[in-house]
């Protein structure tokens, strides 16, 4: 996929609704699932941000995979040390802005940004998505993949008719079932 086709514009958001969401993942593997889910749903790499502590306990592979998904790089943050940061969070973090401030600048509600920064300090990986009008979809996808999305979780439960990721994907998969050419049987 070319860089031009990967970039996307942020869909317009409704007034009073946040433009971005941040999810705190307990480990790099679940953060990777979150990135893949967002990208599979059409969220382009340039709409995502990532920050997690760099570990030497086998998380290097996960950091490498995440790095390839969101153009992440290793940077050193004052008072924190080595982290892997990617996407929209790299430049603010490299410039010395804290995690909470970078997320607020990105469009995450301040209380959720502060909560995500606390989770990051405790060792969680933080994945953000500049979702615009698709914020509920991003919240559902992050939650389905193990993220704590703070107060934005309420959006997914109070607006159930706007988007239901599980039902939408289940219906999509049912329509895409393939027939095995060797046996003639339908795949399940």
């Amino acid at each position: 996929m070319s860089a031009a086709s990967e970039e996307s514009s942020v869909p317009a958001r409704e007034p009073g609704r946040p433009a971005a969401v941040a999810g705190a993942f307990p480990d790099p593997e679940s953060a990777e699932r979150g990135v893949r889910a967002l990208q599979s749903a059409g969220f382009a790499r340039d709409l995502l941000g990532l920050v997690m502590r760099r570990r030497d306990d086998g998380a290097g592979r996960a950091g490498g995979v995440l790095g390839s998904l969101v153009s992440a790089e290793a940077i050193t943050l004052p008072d924190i040390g080595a982290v892997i940061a990617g996407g929209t969070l790299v430049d603010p973090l490299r410039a010395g802005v804290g995690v909470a401030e970078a997320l607020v600048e990105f469009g995450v509600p301040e209380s959720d940004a502060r909560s995500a920064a606390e989770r990051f300090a405790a060792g969680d990986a933080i994945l953000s998505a500049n979702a615009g009008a698709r914020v509920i979809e991003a919240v559902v996808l992050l939650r389905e993949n193990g993220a704590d999305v703070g107060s934005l979780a309420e959006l997914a439960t109070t607006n159930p008719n706007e988007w239901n990721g599980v039902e939408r994907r289940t219906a999509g998969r049912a329509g895409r079932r393939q027939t095995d050419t060797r046996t003639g049987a339908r795949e399940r």
Side-chain angles (χ1 to χ4, degrees):
M1 185 178 276
S2 73
S5 64
E6 235 181 60
E7 291 185 22
S8 65
S9 60
V10 178
R13 69 177 176 93
E14 292 179 31
R17 187 172 281 179
V21 60
F25 290 91
D27 54 65
E29 294 78 19
S30 57
E32 178 183 340
R33 286 191 305 273
V35 170
R36 289 186 188 281
L38 289 169
Q39 288 180 338
S40 291
F43 288 87
R45 184 185 339 195
D46 65 325
L47 298 178
L48 305 179
L50 168 76
V51 63
M52 65 183 199
R53 291 184 184 274
R54 185 172 177 175
R55 297 185 244 170
D56 295 325
D57 62 355
R61 181 203 147 301
V65 172
L66 282 168
S68 67
L69 292 172
V70 292
S71 300
E73 59 187 72
I75 60 175
T76 302
L77 298 178
D79 301 326
I80 294 174
V83 301
I84 297 172
T88 58
L89 296 178
V90 171
D91 290 338
L93 292 174
R94 193 183 301 132
V97 173
V99 172
E101 293 77 14
L103 291 169
V104 168
E105 186 177 303
F106 190 57
V108 173
E110 187 171 351
S111 64
D112 291 332
R114 300 243 176 263
S115 176
E118 288 171 9
R119 296 282 303 263
F120 170 72
D124 287 359
I126 306 300
L127 174 61
S128 58
N130 193 350
R134 297 176 66 194
V135 72
I136 292 173
E137 182 178 359
V139 166
V140 170
L141 289 168
L142 291 172
R143 287 183 64 205
E144 285 178 353
N145 287 283
D148 176 354
V149 294
S151 70
L152 294 180
E154 188 176 322
L155 278 177
T157 58
T158 59
N159 298 292
N161 296 327
E162 287 193 46
W163 197 85
N164 186 320
V166 174
E167 291 177 10
R168 179 178 282 182
R169 282 194 305 284
T170 302
R173 278 195 297 267
R176 291 191 306 263
R177 286 190 179 142
Q178 307 264 331
T179 302
D180 185 330
T181 56
R182 294 173 292 152
T183 66
R186 293 199 34 99
E187 292 181 0
R188 295 198 179 258

